[in-house]
mmCIF file of all heavy atoms in Angstrom:
data_model
loop_
_atom_site.group_PDB
_atom_site.id
_atom_site.type_symbol
_atom_site.label_atom_id
_atom_site.label_comp_id
_atom_site.label_asym_id
_atom_site.label_seq_id
_atom_site.Cartn_x
_atom_site.Cartn_y
_atom_site.Cartn_z
ATOM 1 N N GLN A 1 -5.529 -8.873 16.417
ATOM 2 C CA GLN A 1 -6.894 -9.311 16.764
ATOM 3 C C GLN A 1 -7.931 -8.306 16.203
ATOM 4 O O GLN A 1 -7.633 -7.157 16.018
ATOM 5 C CB GLN A 1 -7.049 -9.435 18.258
ATOM 6 C CG GLN A 1 -6.270 -10.511 18.929
ATOM 7 C CD GLN A 1 -6.554 -10.710 20.372
ATOM 8 O OE1 GLN A 1 -7.044 -9.751 21.034
ATOM 9 N NE2 GLN A 1 -6.252 -11.853 20.910
ATOM 10 N N PRO A 2 -9.140 -8.808 15.964
ATOM 11 C CA PRO A 2 -10.216 -7.872 15.530
ATOM 12 C C PRO A 2 -10.327 -6.742 16.493
ATOM 13 O O PRO A 2 -10.283 -6.898 17.730
ATOM 14 C CB PRO A 2 -11.430 -8.748 15.542
ATOM 15 C CG PRO A 2 -10.909 -10.132 15.305
ATOM 16 C CD PRO A 2 -9.578 -10.203 15.997
ATOM 17 N N GLY A 3 -10.490 -5.529 15.931
ATOM 18 C CA GLY A 3 -10.569 -4.341 16.760
ATOM 19 C C GLY A 3 -9.202 -3.665 16.984
ATOM 20 O O GLY A 3 -9.171 -2.541 17.506
ATOM 21 N N GLY A 4 -8.160 -4.355 16.648
ATOM 22 C CA GLY A 4 -6.792 -3.822 16.878
ATOM 23 C C GLY A 4 -6.358 -2.861 15.783
ATOM 24 O O GLY A 4 -7.118 -2.565 14.855
ATOM 25 N N SER A 5 -5.070 -2.440 15.936
ATOM 26 C CA SER A 5 -4.500 -1.481 15.005
ATOM 27 C C SER A 5 -3.176 -1.934 14.496
ATOM 28 O O SER A 5 -2.467 -2.701 15.156
ATOM 29 C CB SER A 5 -4.331 -0.128 15.685
ATOM 30 O OG SER A 5 -5.551 0.431 16.125
ATOM 31 N N LEU A 6 -2.792 -1.484 13.289
ATOM 32 C CA LEU A 6 -1.510 -1.666 12.720
ATOM 33 C C LEU A 6 -1.194 -0.418 11.905
ATOM 34 O O LEU A 6 -2.061 0.211 11.375
ATOM 35 C CB LEU A 6 -1.514 -2.872 11.778
ATOM 36 C CG LEU A 6 -1.316 -4.269 12.357
ATOM 37 C CD1 LEU A 6 -1.406 -5.316 11.207
ATOM 38 C CD2 LEU A 6 0.003 -4.409 13.078
ATOM 39 N N LYS A 7 0.128 -0.156 11.764
ATOM 40 C CA LYS A 7 0.558 0.932 10.920
ATOM 41 C C LYS A 7 1.590 0.402 9.883
ATOM 42 O O LYS A 7 2.578 -0.191 10.248
ATOM 43 C CB LYS A 7 1.180 2.067 11.714
ATOM 44 C CG LYS A 7 1.533 3.272 10.858
ATOM 45 C CD LYS A 7 1.991 4.432 11.720
ATOM 46 C CE LYS A 7 2.222 5.691 10.896
ATOM 47 N NZ LYS A 7 2.641 6.859 11.719
ATOM 48 N N LEU A 8 1.263 0.564 8.628
ATOM 49 C CA LEU A 8 2.135 0.158 7.550
ATOM 50 C C LEU A 8 2.976 1.350 7.087
ATOM 51 O O LEU A 8 2.470 2.490 7.084
ATOM 52 C CB LEU A 8 1.342 -0.412 6.362
ATOM 53 C CG LEU A 8 0.363 -1.528 6.645
ATOM 54 C CD1 LEU A 8 -0.309 -1.976 5.376
ATOM 55 C CD2 LEU A 8 1.047 -2.699 7.334
ATOM 56 N N SER A 9 4.183 1.019 6.645
ATOM 57 C CA SER A 9 5.068 2.078 6.085
ATOM 58 C C SER A 9 5.579 1.606 4.773
ATOM 59 O O SER A 9 5.720 0.384 4.523
ATOM 60 C CB SER A 9 6.261 2.354 7.004
ATOM 61 O OG SER A 9 5.838 2.784 8.281
ATOM 62 N N CYS A 10 5.873 2.534 3.875
ATOM 63 C CA CYS A 10 6.402 2.203 2.551
ATOM 64 C C CYS A 10 7.355 3.332 2.172
ATOM 65 O O CYS A 10 6.950 4.485 2.013
ATOM 66 C CB CYS A 10 5.256 2.085 1.540
ATOM 67 S SG CYS A 10 5.844 1.950 -0.143
ATOM 68 N N ALA A 11 8.605 2.969 1.980
ATOM 69 C CA ALA A 11 9.639 3.951 1.652
ATOM 70 C C ALA A 11 10.144 3.737 0.228
ATOM 71 O O ALA A 11 10.452 2.594 -0.166
ATOM 72 C CB ALA A 11 10.780 3.847 2.638
ATOM 73 N N ALA A 12 10.242 4.805 -0.504
ATOM 74 C CA ALA A 12 10.787 4.758 -1.846
ATOM 75 C C ALA A 12 12.247 5.131 -1.802
ATOM 76 O O ALA A 12 12.679 5.988 -1.037
ATOM 77 C CB ALA A 12 10.062 5.764 -2.755
ATOM 78 N N SER A 13 13.054 4.412 -2.591
ATOM 79 C CA SER A 13 14.481 4.657 -2.655
ATOM 80 C C SER A 13 14.972 4.645 -4.084
ATOM 81 O O SER A 13 14.334 4.067 -4.945
ATOM 82 C CB SER A 13 15.247 3.691 -1.777
ATOM 83 O OG SER A 13 15.086 2.369 -2.275
ATOM 84 N N GLY A 14 16.166 5.202 -4.292
ATOM 85 C CA GLY A 14 16.725 5.242 -5.647
ATOM 86 C C GLY A 14 16.797 6.712 -6.126
ATOM 87 O O GLY A 14 16.603 7.637 -5.358
ATOM 88 N N SER A 15 17.013 6.832 -7.417
ATOM 89 C CA SER A 15 17.106 8.144 -8.038
ATOM 90 C C SER A 15 15.704 8.630 -8.344
ATOM 91 O O SER A 15 15.100 8.155 -9.302
ATOM 92 C CB SER A 15 17.962 8.071 -9.269
ATOM 93 O OG SER A 15 18.024 9.319 -9.896
ATOM 94 N N ILE A 16 15.157 9.513 -7.547
ATOM 95 C CA ILE A 16 13.777 9.937 -7.680
ATOM 96 C C ILE A 16 13.719 11.440 -7.950
ATOM 97 O O ILE A 16 14.252 12.218 -7.200
ATOM 98 C CB ILE A 16 13.004 9.594 -6.385
ATOM 99 C CG1 ILE A 16 12.976 8.097 -6.160
ATOM 100 C CG2 ILE A 16 11.555 10.141 -6.467
ATOM 101 C CD1 ILE A 16 12.429 7.709 -4.778
ATOM 102 N N PHE A 17 13.000 11.823 -9.012
ATOM 103 C CA PHE A 17 12.780 13.250 -9.222
ATOM 104 C C PHE A 17 11.263 13.551 -9.245
ATOM 105 O O PHE A 17 10.908 14.720 -9.249
ATOM 106 C CB PHE A 17 13.461 13.728 -10.505
ATOM 107 C CG PHE A 17 13.066 13.028 -11.753
ATOM 108 C CD1 PHE A 17 11.896 13.397 -12.427
ATOM 109 C CD2 PHE A 17 13.829 11.997 -12.297
ATOM 110 C CE1 PHE A 17 11.527 12.761 -13.594
ATOM 111 C CE2 PHE A 17 13.459 11.355 -13.445
ATOM 112 C CZ PHE A 17 12.310 11.722 -14.129
ATOM 113 N N SER A 18 10.465 12.521 -9.265
ATOM 114 C CA SER A 18 8.984 12.727 -9.250
ATOM 115 C C SER A 18 8.337 11.514 -8.605
ATOM 116 O O SER A 18 8.650 10.389 -8.963
ATOM 117 C CB SER A 18 8.483 12.928 -10.695
ATOM 118 O OG SER A 18 7.083 12.976 -10.696
ATOM 119 N N ILE A 19 7.437 11.787 -7.687
ATOM 120 C CA ILE A 19 6.764 10.699 -7.032
ATOM 121 C C ILE A 19 5.332 11.120 -6.683
ATOM 122 O O ILE A 19 5.115 11.855 -5.708
ATOM 123 C CB ILE A 19 7.512 10.168 -5.807
ATOM 124 C CG1 ILE A 19 6.782 8.999 -5.120
ATOM 125 C CG2 ILE A 19 7.840 11.288 -4.806
ATOM 126 C CD1 ILE A 19 7.600 8.251 -4.115
ATOM 127 N N GLU A 20 4.409 10.730 -7.506
ATOM 128 C CA GLU A 20 3.032 11.240 -7.365
ATOM 129 C C GLU A 20 2.069 10.407 -8.170
ATOM 130 O O GLU A 20 2.306 10.177 -9.347
ATOM 131 C CB GLU A 20 2.988 12.677 -7.934
ATOM 132 C CG GLU A 20 1.698 13.347 -7.862
ATOM 133 C CD GLU A 20 1.394 13.934 -6.514
ATOM 134 O OE1 GLU A 20 1.102 13.142 -5.590
ATOM 135 O OE2 GLU A 20 1.463 15.145 -6.363
ATOM 136 N N PRO A 21 0.937 9.910 -7.574
ATOM 137 C CA PRO A 21 0.658 9.914 -6.163
ATOM 138 C C PRO A 21 1.233 8.652 -5.523
ATOM 139 O O PRO A 21 1.925 7.878 -6.176
ATOM 140 C CB PRO A 21 -0.881 9.850 -6.152
ATOM 141 C CG PRO A 21 -1.188 9.000 -7.323
ATOM 142 C CD PRO A 21 -0.160 9.343 -8.383
ATOM 143 N N MET A 22 0.966 8.479 -4.258
ATOM 144 C CA MET A 22 1.338 7.224 -3.551
ATOM 145 C C MET A 22 0.044 6.572 -3.048
ATOM 146 O O MET A 22 -0.919 7.296 -2.689
ATOM 147 C CB MET A 22 2.274 7.516 -2.368
ATOM 148 C CG MET A 22 3.566 8.192 -2.830
ATOM 149 S SD MET A 22 4.799 8.363 -1.472
ATOM 150 C CE MET A 22 5.535 6.750 -1.485
ATOM 151 N N ALA A 23 0.014 5.266 -3.001
ATOM 152 C CA ALA A 23 -1.200 4.589 -2.654
ATOM 153 C C ALA A 23 -0.953 3.195 -2.014
ATOM 154 O O ALA A 23 0.133 2.670 -2.122
ATOM 155 C CB ALA A 23 -2.056 4.385 -3.927
ATOM 156 N N TRP A 24 -1.989 2.742 -1.361
ATOM 157 C CA TRP A 24 -2.014 1.385 -0.831
ATOM 158 C C TRP A 24 -3.135 0.583 -1.532
ATOM 159 O O TRP A 24 -4.264 1.089 -1.651
ATOM 160 C CB TRP A 24 -2.235 1.383 0.683
ATOM 161 C CG TRP A 24 -1.079 1.890 1.479
ATOM 162 C CD1 TRP A 24 -0.865 3.166 1.930
ATOM 163 C CD2 TRP A 24 0.059 1.106 1.876
ATOM 164 N NE1 TRP A 24 0.301 3.231 2.597
ATOM 165 C CE2 TRP A 24 0.914 2.013 2.613
ATOM 166 C CE3 TRP A 24 0.446 -0.219 1.730
ATOM 167 C CZ2 TRP A 24 2.117 1.609 3.156
ATOM 168 C CZ3 TRP A 24 1.637 -0.651 2.286
ATOM 169 C CH2 TRP A 24 2.508 0.268 2.995
ATOM 170 N N HIS A 25 -2.800 -0.634 -1.943
ATOM 171 C CA HIS A 25 -3.766 -1.545 -2.463
ATOM 172 C C HIS A 25 -3.711 -2.790 -1.591
ATOM 173 O O HIS A 25 -2.783 -3.011 -0.813
ATOM 174 C CB HIS A 25 -3.429 -1.923 -3.896
ATOM 175 C CG HIS A 25 -3.402 -0.770 -4.876
ATOM 176 N ND1 HIS A 25 -4.339 -0.642 -5.869
ATOM 177 C CD2 HIS A 25 -2.615 0.323 -4.969
ATOM 178 C CE1 HIS A 25 -4.076 0.473 -6.543
ATOM 179 N NE2 HIS A 25 -3.023 1.054 -6.024
ATOM 180 N N ARG A 26 -4.714 -3.652 -1.747
ATOM 181 C CA ARG A 26 -4.677 -4.925 -1.023
ATOM 182 C C ARG A 26 -5.310 -6.034 -1.880
ATOM 183 O O ARG A 26 -6.158 -5.778 -2.746
ATOM 184 C CB ARG A 26 -5.367 -4.818 0.324
ATOM 185 C CG ARG A 26 -6.901 -4.618 0.224
ATOM 186 C CD ARG A 26 -7.448 -4.434 1.659
ATOM 187 N NE ARG A 26 -8.895 -4.250 1.602
ATOM 188 C CZ ARG A 26 -9.632 -3.932 2.691
ATOM 189 N NH1 ARG A 26 -9.046 -3.766 3.861
ATOM 190 N NH2 ARG A 26 -10.930 -3.775 2.572
ATOM 191 N N GLN A 27 -4.893 -7.232 -1.613
ATOM 192 C CA GLN A 27 -5.430 -8.407 -2.310
ATOM 193 C C GLN A 27 -5.632 -9.564 -1.306
ATOM 194 O O GLN A 27 -4.668 -10.062 -0.737
ATOM 195 C CB GLN A 27 -4.533 -8.844 -3.453
ATOM 196 C CG GLN A 27 -5.161 -9.929 -4.343
ATOM 197 C CD GLN A 27 -4.375 -10.114 -5.615
ATOM 198 O OE1 GLN A 27 -3.220 -9.724 -5.773
ATOM 199 N NE2 GLN A 27 -5.035 -10.682 -6.614
ATOM 200 N N ALA A 28 -6.913 -9.892 -1.143
ATOM 201 C CA ALA A 28 -7.257 -11.009 -0.303
ATOM 202 C C ALA A 28 -7.248 -12.272 -1.149
ATOM 203 O O ALA A 28 -7.387 -12.238 -2.370
ATOM 204 C CB ALA A 28 -8.624 -10.777 0.317
ATOM 205 N N PRO A 29 -7.134 -13.479 -0.514
ATOM 206 C CA PRO A 29 -7.117 -14.719 -1.250
ATOM 207 C C PRO A 29 -8.372 -14.862 -2.102
ATOM 208 O O PRO A 29 -9.473 -14.704 -1.562
ATOM 209 C CB PRO A 29 -7.024 -15.748 -0.129
ATOM 210 C CG PRO A 29 -6.351 -15.072 0.998
ATOM 211 C CD PRO A 29 -6.841 -13.663 0.935
ATOM 212 N N GLY A 30 -8.209 -15.194 -3.354
ATOM 213 C CA GLY A 30 -9.325 -15.434 -4.214
ATOM 214 C C GLY A 30 -10.052 -14.174 -4.692
ATOM 215 O O GLY A 30 -11.091 -14.236 -5.383
ATOM 216 N N LYS A 31 -9.491 -12.997 -4.374
ATOM 217 C CA LYS A 31 -10.131 -11.757 -4.767
ATOM 218 C C LYS A 31 -9.200 -10.909 -5.624
ATOM 219 O O LYS A 31 -7.961 -11.109 -5.594
ATOM 220 C CB LYS A 31 -10.548 -10.948 -3.536
ATOM 221 C CG LYS A 31 -11.677 -11.615 -2.738
ATOM 222 C CD LYS A 31 -12.214 -10.698 -1.655
ATOM 223 C CE LYS A 31 -13.386 -11.366 -0.932
ATOM 224 N NZ LYS A 31 -13.938 -10.447 0.097
ATOM 225 N N GLN A 32 -9.755 -9.930 -6.299
ATOM 226 C CA GLN A 32 -8.938 -9.005 -7.118
ATOM 227 C C GLN A 32 -8.285 -7.994 -6.224
ATOM 228 O O GLN A 32 -8.780 -7.666 -5.127
ATOM 229 C CB GLN A 32 -9.810 -8.321 -8.133
ATOM 230 C CG GLN A 32 -10.290 -9.230 -9.274
ATOM 231 C CD GLN A 32 -10.928 -8.474 -10.405
ATOM 232 O OE1 GLN A 32 -11.562 -7.426 -10.162
ATOM 233 N NE2 GLN A 32 -10.824 -8.963 -11.608
ATOM 234 N N ARG A 33 -7.135 -7.482 -6.673
ATOM 235 C CA ARG A 33 -6.464 -6.400 -5.949
ATOM 236 C C ARG A 33 -7.386 -5.169 -6.013
ATOM 237 O O ARG A 33 -7.945 -4.861 -7.038
ATOM 238 C CB ARG A 33 -5.111 -6.113 -6.562
ATOM 239 C CG ARG A 33 -4.236 -5.240 -5.744
ATOM 240 C CD ARG A 33 -2.817 -5.114 -6.331
ATOM 241 N NE ARG A 33 -2.133 -6.414 -6.334
ATOM 242 C CZ ARG A 33 -0.847 -6.558 -6.650
ATOM 243 N NH1 ARG A 33 -0.118 -5.503 -6.924
ATOM 244 N NH2 ARG A 33 -0.277 -7.744 -6.621
ATOM 245 N N GLU A 34 -7.453 -4.475 -4.873
ATOM 246 C CA GLU A 34 -8.312 -3.262 -4.800
ATOM 247 C C GLU A 34 -7.550 -2.117 -4.200
ATOM 248 O O GLU A 34 -6.641 -2.310 -3.358
ATOM 249 C CB GLU A 34 -9.578 -3.541 -3.974
ATOM 250 C CG GLU A 34 -9.307 -3.891 -2.544
ATOM 251 C CD GLU A 34 -10.569 -3.986 -1.727
ATOM 252 O OE1 GLU A 34 -11.671 -3.635 -2.179
ATOM 253 O OE2 GLU A 34 -10.453 -4.438 -0.518
#
């Protein structure tokens, strides 16, 4: 609901030796990803 909270998580897996940076983007219907 409006005013509420959520927490998103994103885990990387596989053979990783470098991970930089990490980010969140979003895309609403009819809009560009931001």
